[in-house]
Amino acid sequence: QVQLVESGGGLVQPGGSLRLSCAASGSIVSINHMGWYRQGPGGQRELVARIFSEGSTVYADSVKGRFTISLDNAKNTVYLQMDSLKLDDTAVYYCNGQFQVVYSYEDYWGRGTRVTVSS
């Protein structure tokens, strides 16, 4: 089993910055990819950013140029640097990852961390 623990959420003013962290622990053989999803009030969960173990990244159009995802393979930790935050970025952010666990690849989710952008 794999556990994902997020940290770094909070309240920030428009234009401000936050950095989210997600540490994975457990029976991890290797990481395929890790990333972040978010779910705003009344909305569906959507992909924000994903990073693969070799370094390639995927971003939602709404966050390109403002958010940066990075992965520390040695620490099994993914980060999301969020700059120029907007009111629409308000959401619960969930860490997600796909890991090789013994003989198969499995997906895991964190419990979420709340980000509120408000003046």
Side-chain angles (χ1 to χ4, degrees), residues 64-110:
K64 285 181 180 177
R66 300 187 298 120
F67 291 9
T68 304
I69 191 169
S70 59
L71 177 64
D72 186 332
N73 278 290
K75 295 182 179 179
N76 291 338
T77 299
V78 65
Y79 304 94
L80 185 68
Q81 178 65 40
M82 305 186 293
D83 299 318
S84 303
L85 282 160
K86 303 177 180 180
L87 297 176
D88 288 348
D89 294 319
T90 295
V92 178
Y93 284 70
Y94 296 91
C95 180
N96 166 263
Q98 188 176 81
F99 307 91
Q100 184 181 1
V101 180
V102 189
Y103 300 114
S104 63
Y105 282 93
E106 299 178 0
D107 288 309
Y108 291 87
W109 291 89

mmCIF file of all heavy atoms in Angstrom, residues 64-110:
data_model
loop_
_atom_site.group_PDB
_atom_site.id
_atom_site.type_symbol
_atom_site.label_atom_id
_atom_site.label_comp_id
_atom_site.label_asym_id
_atom_site.label_seq_id
_atom_site.Cartn_x
_atom_site.Cartn_y
_atom_site.Cartn_z
ATOM 1 N N LYS A 64 -1.159 27.015 -16.984
ATOM 2 C CA LYS A 64 0.121 27.114 -17.704
ATOM 3 C C LYS A 64 0.726 28.501 -17.513
ATOM 4 O O LYS A 64 0.052 29.514 -17.631
ATOM 5 C CB LYS A 64 -0.086 26.829 -19.184
ATOM 6 C CG LYS A 64 -0.284 25.366 -19.515
ATOM 7 C CD LYS A 64 -0.468 25.157 -21.016
ATOM 8 C CE LYS A 64 -0.678 23.689 -21.342
ATOM 9 N NZ LYS A 64 -0.934 23.468 -22.783
ATOM 10 N N GLY A 65 2.006 28.522 -17.212
ATOM 11 C CA GLY A 65 2.703 29.784 -17.007
ATOM 12 C C GLY A 65 2.600 30.330 -15.597
ATOM 13 O O GLY A 65 3.306 31.279 -15.247
ATOM 14 N N ARG A 66 1.738 29.737 -14.782
ATOM 15 C CA ARG A 66 1.580 30.202 -13.402
ATOM 16 C C ARG A 66 1.973 29.129 -12.383
ATOM 17 O O ARG A 66 2.483 29.458 -11.312
ATOM 18 C CB ARG A 66 0.127 30.620 -13.151
ATOM 19 C CG ARG A 66 -0.377 31.728 -14.037
ATOM 20 C CD ARG A 66 -1.761 32.196 -13.599
ATOM 21 N NE ARG A 66 -2.774 31.159 -13.682
ATOM 22 C CZ ARG A 66 -3.483 30.711 -12.640
ATOM 23 N NH1 ARG A 66 -3.294 31.226 -11.439
ATOM 24 N NH2 ARG A 66 -4.411 29.764 -12.808
ATOM 25 N N PHE A 67 1.736 27.872 -12.701
ATOM 26 C CA PHE A 67 2.040 26.766 -11.793
ATOM 27 C C PHE A 67 3.223 25.971 -12.340
ATOM 28 O O PHE A 67 3.382 25.825 -13.554
ATOM 29 C CB PHE A 67 0.848 25.825 -11.658
ATOM 30 C CG PHE A 67 -0.350 26.391 -10.934
ATOM 31 C CD1 PHE A 67 -0.438 27.735 -10.595
ATOM 32 C CD2 PHE A 67 -1.402 25.558 -10.589
ATOM 33 C CE1 PHE A 67 -1.535 28.243 -9.933
ATOM 34 C CE2 PHE A 67 -2.519 26.038 -9.931
ATOM 35 C CZ PHE A 67 -2.582 27.393 -9.612
ATOM 36 N N THR A 68 4.027 25.446 -11.419
ATOM 37 C CA THR A 68 5.149 24.605 -11.796
ATOM 38 C C THR A 68 5.160 23.360 -10.931
ATOM 39 O O THR A 68 5.155 23.462 -9.690
ATOM 40 C CB THR A 68 6.478 25.355 -11.627
ATOM 41 O OG1 THR A 68 6.452 26.566 -12.389
ATOM 42 C CG2 THR A 68 7.643 24.492 -12.096
ATOM 43 N N ILE A 69 5.179 22.200 -11.576
ATOM 44 C CA ILE A 69 5.230 20.940 -10.844
ATOM 45 C C ILE A 69 6.647 20.389 -10.899
ATOM 46 O O ILE A 69 7.348 20.541 -11.909
ATOM 47 C CB ILE A 69 4.217 19.923 -11.421
ATOM 48 C CG1 ILE A 69 4.073 18.707 -10.500
ATOM 49 C CG2 ILE A 69 4.587 19.504 -12.840
ATOM 50 C CD1 ILE A 69 2.913 17.800 -10.873
ATOM 51 N N SER A 70 7.081 19.788 -9.792
ATOM 52 C CA SER A 70 8.402 19.187 -9.744
ATOM 53 C C SER A 70 8.346 17.924 -8.894
ATOM 54 O O SER A 70 7.448 17.761 -8.064
ATOM 55 C CB SER A 70 9.438 20.160 -9.198
ATOM 56 O OG SER A 70 9.089 20.590 -7.895
ATOM 57 N N LEU A 71 9.321 17.061 -9.117
ATOM 58 C CA LEU A 71 9.338 15.764 -8.438
ATOM 59 C C LEU A 71 10.719 15.484 -7.894
ATOM 60 O O LEU A 71 11.704 15.577 -8.635
ATOM 61 C CB LEU A 71 8.918 14.655 -9.422
ATOM 62 C CG LEU A 71 8.952 13.213 -8.918
ATOM 63 C CD1 LEU A 71 7.955 13.014 -7.791
ATOM 64 C CD2 LEU A 71 8.675 12.244 -10.063
ATOM 65 N N ASP A 72 10.777 15.141 -6.621
ATOM 66 C CA ASP A 72 12.019 14.691 -6.000
ATOM 67 C C ASP A 72 11.910 13.175 -5.863
ATOM 68 O O ASP A 72 11.277 12.670 -4.940
ATOM 69 C CB ASP A 72 12.203 15.358 -4.638
ATOM 70 C CG ASP A 72 13.543 15.045 -4.009
ATOM 71 O OD1 ASP A 72 14.113 13.953 -4.299
ATOM 72 O OD2 ASP A 72 14.035 15.857 -3.222
ATOM 73 N N ASN A 73 12.508 12.465 -6.804
ATOM 74 C CA ASN A 73 12.394 11.008 -6.809
ATOM 75 C C ASN A 73 13.017 10.371 -5.557
ATOM 76 O O ASN A 73 12.515 9.377 -5.061
ATOM 77 C CB ASN A 73 13.065 10.427 -8.053
ATOM 78 C CG ASN A 73 12.182 10.480 -9.286
ATOM 79 O OD1 ASN A 73 11.194 9.768 -9.382
ATOM 80 N ND2 ASN A 73 12.529 11.335 -10.221
ATOM 81 N N ALA A 74 14.071 10.975 -5.056
ATOM 82 C CA ALA A 74 14.747 10.414 -3.888
ATOM 83 C C ALA A 74 13.849 10.467 -2.651
ATOM 84 O O ALA A 74 13.926 9.614 -1.770
ATOM 85 C CB ALA A 74 16.047 11.146 -3.627
ATOM 86 N N LYS A 75 12.994 11.506 -2.596
ATOM 87 C CA LYS A 75 12.114 11.681 -1.441
ATOM 88 C C LYS A 75 10.690 11.222 -1.730
ATOM 89 O O LYS A 75 9.814 11.337 -0.868
ATOM 90 C CB LYS A 75 12.093 13.150 -1.010
ATOM 91 C CG LYS A 75 13.423 13.677 -0.504
ATOM 92 C CD LYS A 75 13.296 15.128 -0.065
ATOM 93 C CE LYS A 75 14.616 15.657 0.479
ATOM 94 N NZ LYS A 75 14.520 17.077 0.901
ATOM 95 N N ASN A 76 10.427 10.739 -2.949
ATOM 96 C CA ASN A 76 9.066 10.365 -3.349
ATOM 97 C C ASN A 76 8.075 11.497 -3.067
ATOM 98 O O ASN A 76 6.965 11.272 -2.561
ATOM 99 C CB ASN A 76 8.613 9.086 -2.631
ATOM 100 C CG ASN A 76 9.360 7.861 -3.095
ATOM 101 O OD1 ASN A 76 9.926 7.832 -4.184
ATOM 102 N ND2 ASN A 76 9.383 6.837 -2.254
ATOM 103 N N THR A 77 8.486 12.699 -3.384
ATOM 104 C CA THR A 77 7.688 13.881 -3.071
ATOM 105 C C THR A 77 7.475 14.730 -4.324
ATOM 106 O O THR A 77 8.442 15.000 -5.053
ATOM 107 C CB THR A 77 8.355 14.716 -1.976
ATOM 108 O OG1 THR A 77 8.459 13.918 -0.786
ATOM 109 C CG2 THR A 77 7.542 15.965 -1.665
ATOM 110 N N VAL A 78 6.244 15.144 -4.525
ATOM 111 C CA VAL A 78 5.909 16.027 -5.625
ATOM 112 C C VAL A 78 5.508 17.383 -5.067
ATOM 113 O O VAL A 78 4.904 17.469 -3.991
ATOM 114 C CB VAL A 78 4.778 15.426 -6.496
ATOM 115 C CG1 VAL A 78 3.466 15.314 -5.734
ATOM 116 C CG2 VAL A 78 4.598 16.223 -7.781
ATOM 117 N N TYR A 79 5.889 18.428 -5.783
ATOM 118 C CA TYR A 79 5.610 19.791 -5.356
ATOM 119 C C TYR A 79 4.805 20.506 -6.448
ATOM 120 O O TYR A 79 4.953 20.221 -7.636
ATOM 121 C CB TYR A 79 6.905 20.562 -5.118
ATOM 122 C CG TYR A 79 7.832 19.911 -4.142
ATOM 123 C CD1 TYR A 79 8.849 19.058 -4.572
ATOM 124 C CD2 TYR A 79 7.701 20.129 -2.775
ATOM 125 C CE1 TYR A 79 9.711 18.445 -3.671
ATOM 126 C CE2 TYR A 79 8.560 19.521 -1.865
ATOM 127 C CZ TYR A 79 9.561 18.687 -2.320
ATOM 128 O OH TYR A 79 10.397 18.077 -1.417
ATOM 129 N N LEU A 80 3.987 21.454 -6.007
ATOM 130 C CA LEU A 80 3.284 22.306 -6.947
ATOM 131 C C LEU A 80 3.473 23.753 -6.495
ATOM 132 O O LEU A 80 2.926 24.167 -5.461
ATOM 133 C CB LEU A 80 1.795 21.965 -7.008
ATOM 134 C CG LEU A 80 0.995 22.737 -8.061
ATOM 135 C CD1 LEU A 80 1.436 22.311 -9.479
ATOM 136 C CD2 LEU A 80 -0.508 22.512 -7.890
ATOM 137 N N GLN A 81 4.285 24.483 -7.230
ATOM 138 C CA GLN A 81 4.495 25.899 -6.963
ATOM 139 C C GLN A 81 3.420 26.667 -7.710
ATOM 140 O O GLN A 81 3.333 26.581 -8.942
ATOM 141 C CB GLN A 81 5.881 26.344 -7.427
ATOM 142 C CG GLN A 81 6.152 27.829 -7.232
ATOM 143 C CD GLN A 81 6.190 28.228 -5.777
ATOM 144 O OE1 GLN A 81 6.725 27.514 -4.938
ATOM 145 N NE2 GLN A 81 5.602 29.383 -5.470
ATOM 146 N N MET A 82 2.611 27.395 -6.969
ATOM 147 C CA MET A 82 1.492 28.120 -7.553
ATOM 148 C C MET A 82 1.727 29.613 -7.392
ATOM 149 O O MET A 82 1.779 30.116 -6.264
ATOM 150 C CB MET A 82 0.180 27.712 -6.878
ATOM 151 C CG MET A 82 -0.089 26.211 -6.904
ATOM 152 S SD MET A 82 -1.715 25.760 -6.261
ATOM 153 C CE MET A 82 -1.506 26.217 -4.544
ATOM 154 N N ASP A 83 1.905 30.301 -8.489
ATOM 155 C CA ASP A 83 2.135 31.740 -8.500
ATOM 156 C C ASP A 83 0.983 32.452 -9.200
ATOM 157 O O ASP A 83 0.212 31.835 -9.924
ATOM 158 C CB ASP A 83 3.450 32.059 -9.202
ATOM 159 C CG ASP A 83 4.646 31.434 -8.511
ATOM 160 O OD1 ASP A 83 4.704 31.470 -7.273
ATOM 161 O OD2 ASP A 83 5.526 30.903 -9.219
ATOM 162 N N SER A 84 0.909 33.754 -8.999
ATOM 163 C CA SER A 84 -0.143 34.567 -9.625
ATOM 164 C C SER A 84 -1.518 33.937 -9.433
ATOM 165 O O SER A 84 -2.297 33.808 -10.389
ATOM 166 C CB SER A 84 0.158 34.741 -11.123
ATOM 167 O OG SER A 84 1.425 35.327 -11.327
ATOM 168 N N LEU A 85 -1.798 33.565 -8.218
ATOM 169 C CA LEU A 85 -3.046 32.862 -7.933
ATOM 170 C C LEU A 85 -4.261 33.745 -8.199
ATOM 171 O O LEU A 85 -4.243 34.968 -7.971
ATOM 172 C CB LEU A 85 -3.055 32.370 -6.494
ATOM 173 C CG LEU A 85 -2.230 31.103 -6.272
ATOM 174 C CD1 LEU A 85 -1.870 30.914 -4.812
ATOM 175 C CD2 LEU A 85 -2.979 29.881 -6.791
ATOM 176 N N LYS A 86 -5.313 33.107 -8.699
ATOM 177 C CA LYS A 86 -6.548 33.788 -9.030
ATOM 178 C C LYS A 86 -7.686 33.242 -8.154
ATOM 179 O O LYS A 86 -7.580 32.161 -7.581
ATOM 180 C CB LYS A 86 -6.895 33.545 -10.502
ATOM 181 C CG LYS A 86 -5.829 33.967 -11.483
ATOM 182 C CD LYS A 86 -6.240 33.603 -12.910
ATOM 183 C CE LYS A 86 -5.185 34.019 -13.919
ATOM 184 N NZ LYS A 86 -5.583 33.665 -15.312
ATOM 185 N N LEU A 87 -8.767 34.001 -8.116
ATOM 186 C CA LEU A 87 -9.927 33.555 -7.343
ATOM 187 C C LEU A 87 -10.391 32.174 -7.803
ATOM 188 O O LEU A 87 -10.795 31.338 -6.979
ATOM 189 C CB LEU A 87 -11.067 34.562 -7.474
ATOM 190 C CG LEU A 87 -10.811 35.967 -6.927
ATOM 191 C CD1 LEU A 87 -11.995 36.875 -7.227
ATOM 192 C CD2 LEU A 87 -10.529 35.928 -5.431
ATOM 193 N N ASP A 88 -10.320 31.925 -9.116
ATOM 194 C CA ASP A 88 -10.780 30.647 -9.671
ATOM 195 C C ASP A 88 -9.905 29.466 -9.266
ATOM 196 O O ASP A 88 -10.273 28.317 -9.521
ATOM 197 C CB ASP A 88 -10.839 30.723 -11.204
ATOM 198 C CG ASP A 88 -11.993 31.584 -11.693
ATOM 199 O OD1 ASP A 88 -12.861 31.912 -10.861
ATOM 200 O OD2 ASP A 88 -12.016 31.921 -12.888
ATOM 201 N N ASP A 89 -8.747 29.733 -8.681
ATOM 202 C CA ASP A 89 -7.884 28.633 -8.230
ATOM 203 C C ASP A 89 -8.346 28.064 -6.893
ATOM 204 O O ASP A 89 -7.792 27.070 -6.419
ATOM 205 C CB ASP A 89 -6.437 29.111 -8.103
ATOM 206 C CG ASP A 89 -5.836 29.492 -9.448
ATOM 207 O OD1 ASP A 89 -6.082 28.773 -10.436
ATOM 208 O OD2 ASP A 89 -5.116 30.514 -9.504
ATOM 209 N N THR A 90 -9.323 28.702 -6.283
ATOM 210 C CA THR A 90 -9.858 28.207 -5.017
ATOM 211 C C THR A 90 -10.440 26.811 -5.205
ATOM 212 O O THR A 90 -11.306 26.602 -6.060
ATOM 213 C CB THR A 90 -10.942 29.152 -4.488
ATOM 214 O OG1 THR A 90 -10.351 30.414 -4.170
ATOM 215 C CG2 THR A 90 -11.610 28.581 -3.255
ATOM 216 N N ALA A 91 -9.945 25.856 -4.425
ATOM 217 C CA ALA A 91 -10.374 24.462 -4.573
ATOM 218 C C ALA A 91 -9.688 23.613 -3.515
ATOM 219 O O ALA A 91 -8.772 24.079 -2.832
ATOM 220 C CB ALA A 91 -10.011 23.930 -5.957
ATOM 221 N N VAL A 92 -10.151 22.379 -3.413
ATOM 222 C CA VAL A 92 -9.396 21.375 -2.673
ATOM 223 C C VAL A 92 -8.464 20.698 -3.668
ATOM 224 O O VAL A 92 -8.923 20.228 -4.716
ATOM 225 C CB VAL A 92 -10.322 20.352 -1.996
ATOM 226 C CG1 VAL A 92 -9.494 19.287 -1.281
ATOM 227 C CG2 VAL A 92 -11.265 21.050 -1.012
ATOM 228 N N TYR A 93 -7.203 20.664 -3.346
ATOM 229 C CA TYR A 93 -6.194 20.084 -4.231
ATOM 230 C C TYR A 93 -5.833 18.693 -3.722
ATOM 231 O O TYR A 93 -5.482 18.529 -2.547
ATOM 232 C CB TYR A 93 -4.960 20.987 -4.274
ATOM 233 C CG TYR A 93 -5.180 22.220 -5.116
ATOM 234 C CD1 TYR A 93 -6.033 23.232 -4.680
ATOM 235 C CD2 TYR A 93 -4.556 22.372 -6.356
ATOM 236 C CE1 TYR A 93 -6.258 24.363 -5.455
ATOM 237 C CE2 TYR A 93 -4.770 23.490 -7.137
ATOM 238 C CZ TYR A 93 -5.624 24.482 -6.688
ATOM 239 O OH TYR A 93 -5.862 25.595 -7.464
ATOM 240 N N TYR A 94 -5.912 17.731 -4.625
ATOM 241 C CA TYR A 94 -5.647 16.337 -4.284
ATOM 242 C C TYR A 94 -4.390 15.861 -4.987
ATOM 243 O O TYR A 94 -4.232 16.052 -6.199
ATOM 244 C CB TYR A 94 -6.812 15.458 -4.710
ATOM 245 C CG TYR A 94 -8.109 15.750 -4.005
ATOM 246 C CD1 TYR A 94 -9.015 16.664 -4.526
ATOM 247 C CD2 TYR A 94 -8.423 15.100 -2.818
ATOM 248 C CE1 TYR A 94 -10.210 16.930 -3.874
ATOM 249 C CE2 TYR A 94 -9.621 15.358 -2.160
ATOM 250 C CZ TYR A 94 -10.508 16.273 -2.701
ATOM 251 O OH TYR A 94 -11.687 16.532 -2.057
ATOM 252 N N CYS A 95 -3.548 15.218 -4.243
ATOM 253 C CA CYS A 95 -2.368 14.574 -4.797
ATOM 254 C C CYS A 95 -2.767 13.201 -5.346
ATOM 255 O O CYS A 95 -3.579 12.487 -4.740
ATOM 256 C CB CYS A 95 -1.316 14.412 -3.710
ATOM 257 S SG CYS A 95 0.214 13.624 -4.241
ATOM 258 N N ASN A 96 -2.183 12.870 -6.472
ATOM 259 C CA ASN A 96 -2.457 11.583 -7.112
ATOM 260 C C ASN A 96 -1.146 11.008 -7.606
ATOM 261 O O ASN A 96 -0.241 11.746 -8.005
ATOM 262 C CB ASN A 96 -3.415 11.775 -8.285
ATOM 263 C CG ASN A 96 -3.490 10.576 -9.208
ATOM 264 O OD1 ASN A 96 -2.826 10.520 -10.250
ATOM 265 N ND2 ASN A 96 -4.278 9.584 -8.824
ATOM 266 N N GLY A 97 -1.042 9.704 -7.554
ATOM 267 C CA GLY A 97 0.171 9.101 -8.084
ATOM 268 C C GLY A 97 -0.078 7.691 -8.565
ATOM 269 O O GLY A 97 -1.004 7.014 -8.113
ATOM 270 N N GLN A 98 0.728 7.276 -9.513
ATOM 271 C CA GLN A 98 0.719 5.894 -9.985
ATOM 272 C C GLN A 98 2.076 5.288 -9.666
ATOM 273 O O GLN A 98 3.109 5.813 -10.096
ATOM 274 C CB GLN A 98 0.424 5.805 -11.476
ATOM 275 C CG GLN A 98 0.223 4.365 -11.954
ATOM 276 C CD GLN A 98 -0.155 4.302 -13.420
ATOM 277 O OE1 GLN A 98 0.705 4.379 -14.288
ATOM 278 N NE2 GLN A 98 -1.447 4.156 -13.689
ATOM 279 N N PHE A 99 2.055 4.198 -8.926
ATOM 280 C CA PHE A 99 3.276 3.606 -8.415
ATOM 281 C C PHE A 99 3.352 2.131 -8.753
ATOM 282 O O PHE A 99 2.323 1.446 -8.805
ATOM 283 C CB PHE A 99 3.330 3.747 -6.893
ATOM 284 C CG PHE A 99 3.133 5.144 -6.404
ATOM 285 C CD1 PHE A 99 1.866 5.606 -6.087
ATOM 286 C CD2 PHE A 99 4.206 6.000 -6.264
ATOM 287 C CE1 PHE A 99 1.674 6.899 -5.646
ATOM 288 C CE2 PHE A 99 4.033 7.293 -5.809
ATOM 289 C CZ PHE A 99 2.757 7.754 -5.498
ATOM 290 N N GLN A 100 4.570 1.665 -8.961
ATOM 291 C CA GLN A 100 4.774 0.236 -9.064
ATOM 292 C C GLN A 100 4.838 -0.311 -7.650
ATOM 293 O O GLN A 100 5.695 0.103 -6.843
ATOM 294 C CB GLN A 100 6.053 -0.097 -9.811
ATOM 295 C CG GLN A 100 6.227 -1.597 -10.006
ATOM 296 C CD GLN A 100 7.518 -1.963 -10.725
ATOM 297 O OE1 GLN A 100 8.315 -1.107 -11.082
ATOM 298 N NE2 GLN A 100 7.711 -3.248 -10.949
ATOM 299 N N VAL A 101 3.911 -1.205 -7.349
ATOM 300 C CA VAL A 101 3.833 -1.825 -6.037
ATOM 301 C C VAL A 101 3.957 -3.322 -6.257
ATOM 302 O O VAL A 101 3.025 -3.950 -6.759
ATOM 303 C CB VAL A 101 2.504 -1.491 -5.329
ATOM 304 C CG1 VAL A 101 2.447 -2.140 -3.964
ATOM 305 C CG2 VAL A 101 2.307 0.019 -5.226
ATOM 306 N N VAL A 102 5.100 -3.857 -5.924
ATOM 307 C CA VAL A 102 5.421 -5.274 -6.125
ATOM 308 C C VAL A 102 5.342 -5.577 -7.616
ATOM 309 O O VAL A 102 6.231 -5.207 -8.373
ATOM 310 C CB VAL A 102 4.505 -6.190 -5.301
ATOM 311 C CG1 VAL A 102 5.017 -7.633 -5.358
ATOM 312 C CG2 VAL A 102 4.462 -5.737 -3.853
ATOM 313 N N TYR A 103 4.262 -6.201 -8.110
ATOM 314 C CA TYR A 103 4.217 -6.648 -9.498
ATOM 315 C C TYR A 103 3.263 -5.856 -10.386
ATOM 316 O O TYR A 103 3.077 -6.201 -11.554
ATOM 317 C CB TYR A 103 3.814 -8.128 -9.546
ATOM 318 C CG TYR A 103 4.764 -9.027 -8.798
ATOM 319 C CD1 TYR A 103 4.352 -9.714 -7.655
ATOM 320 C CD2 TYR A 103 6.073 -9.198 -9.226
ATOM 321 C CE1 TYR A 103 5.222 -10.533 -6.970
ATOM 322 C CE2 TYR A 103 6.952 -10.030 -8.546
ATOM 323 C CZ TYR A 103 6.509 -10.688 -7.415
ATOM 324 O OH TYR A 103 7.363 -11.511 -6.734
ATOM 325 N N SER A 104 2.650 -4.814 -9.881
ATOM 326 C CA SER A 104 1.673 -4.077 -10.680
ATOM 327 C C SER A 104 1.761 -2.585 -10.406
ATOM 328 O O SER A 104 2.371 -2.161 -9.426
ATOM 329 C CB SER A 104 0.262 -4.569 -10.355
ATOM 330 O OG SER A 104 -0.047 -4.296 -8.989
ATOM 331 N N TYR A 105 1.139 -1.796 -11.315
ATOM 332 C CA TYR A 105 1.046 -0.358 -11.121
ATOM 333 C C TYR A 105 -0.321 -0.039 -10.529
ATOM 334 O O TYR A 105 -1.336 -0.547 -11.011
ATOM 335 C CB TYR A 105 1.243 0.384 -12.443
ATOM 336 C CG TYR A 105 2.683 0.488 -12.866
ATOM 337 C CD1 TYR A 105 3.261 -0.453 -13.710
ATOM 338 C CD2 TYR A 105 3.483 1.531 -12.397
ATOM 339 C CE1 TYR A 105 4.586 -0.354 -14.084
ATOM 340 C CE2 TYR A 105 4.817 1.633 -12.775
ATOM 341 C CZ TYR A 105 5.356 0.688 -13.616
ATOM 342 O OH TYR A 105 6.675 0.777 -13.971
ATOM 343 N N GLU A 106 -0.326 0.791 -9.515
ATOM 344 C CA GLU A 106 -1.575 1.127 -8.846
ATOM 345 C C GLU A 106 -1.677 2.631 -8.636
ATOM 346 O O GLU A 106 -0.659 3.307 -8.452
ATOM 347 C CB GLU A 106 -1.676 0.404 -7.494
ATOM 348 C CG GLU A 106 -1.668 -1.113 -7.627
ATOM 349 C CD GLU A 106 -1.729 -1.819 -6.291
ATOM 350 O OE1 GLU A 106 -1.785 -1.144 -5.260
ATOM 351 O OE2 GLU A 106 -1.720 -3.072 -6.288
ATOM 352 N N ASP A 107 -2.921 3.132 -8.648
ATOM 353 C CA ASP A 107 -3.179 4.551 -8.428
ATOM 354 C C ASP A 107 -3.596 4.814 -6.988
ATOM 355 O O ASP A 107 -4.366 4.039 -6.407
ATOM 356 C CB ASP A 107 -4.298 5.032 -9.353
ATOM 357 C CG ASP A 107 -3.850 5.126 -10.795
ATOM 358 O OD1 ASP A 107 -2.798 5.747 -11.036
ATOM 359 O OD2 ASP A 107 -4.527 4.577 -11.668
ATOM 360 N N TYR A 108 -3.093 5.909 -6.436
ATOM 361 C CA TYR A 108 -3.428 6.307 -5.079
ATOM 362 C C TYR A 108 -3.745 7.800 -5.031
ATOM 363 O O TYR A 108 -3.258 8.578 -5.864
ATOM 364 C CB TYR A 108 -2.278 5.993 -4.117
ATOM 365 C CG TYR A 108 -2.071 4.525 -3.901
ATOM 366 C CD1 TYR A 108 -1.252 3.785 -4.756
ATOM 367 C CD2 TYR A 108 -2.703 3.852 -2.863
ATOM 368 C CE1 TYR A 108 -1.072 2.429 -4.578
ATOM 369 C CE2 TYR A 108 -2.532 2.492 -2.672
ATOM 370 C CZ TYR A 108 -1.718 1.788 -3.538
ATOM 371 O OH TYR A 108 -1.556 0.440 -3.345
ATOM 372 N N TRP A 109 -4.558 8.168 -4.024
ATOM 373 C CA TRP A 109 -4.966 9.552 -3.823
ATOM 374 C C TRP A 109 -4.681 9.993 -2.401
ATOM 375 O O TRP A 109 -4.781 9.209 -1.453
ATOM 376 C CB TRP A 109 -6.473 9.699 -4.057
ATOM 377 C CG TRP A 109 -6.879 9.526 -5.470
ATOM 378 C CD1 TRP A 109 -7.216 8.356 -6.089
ATOM 379 C CD2 TRP A 109 -7.013 10.550 -6.458
ATOM 380 N NE1 TRP A 109 -7.546 8.597 -7.399
ATOM 381 C CE2 TRP A 109 -7.426 9.924 -7.654
ATOM 382 C CE3 TRP A 109 -6.817 11.934 -6.454
ATOM 383 C CZ2 TRP A 109 -7.654 10.642 -8.835
ATOM 384 C CZ3 TRP A 109 -7.042 12.644 -7.617
ATOM 385 C CH2 TRP A 109 -7.457 12.003 -8.793
ATOM 386 N N GLY A 110 -4.344 11.275 -2.256
ATOM 387 C CA GLY A 110 -4.267 11.873 -0.942
ATOM 388 C C GLY A 110 -5.645 12.352 -0.512
ATOM 389 O O GLY A 110 -6.621 12.264 -1.263
#
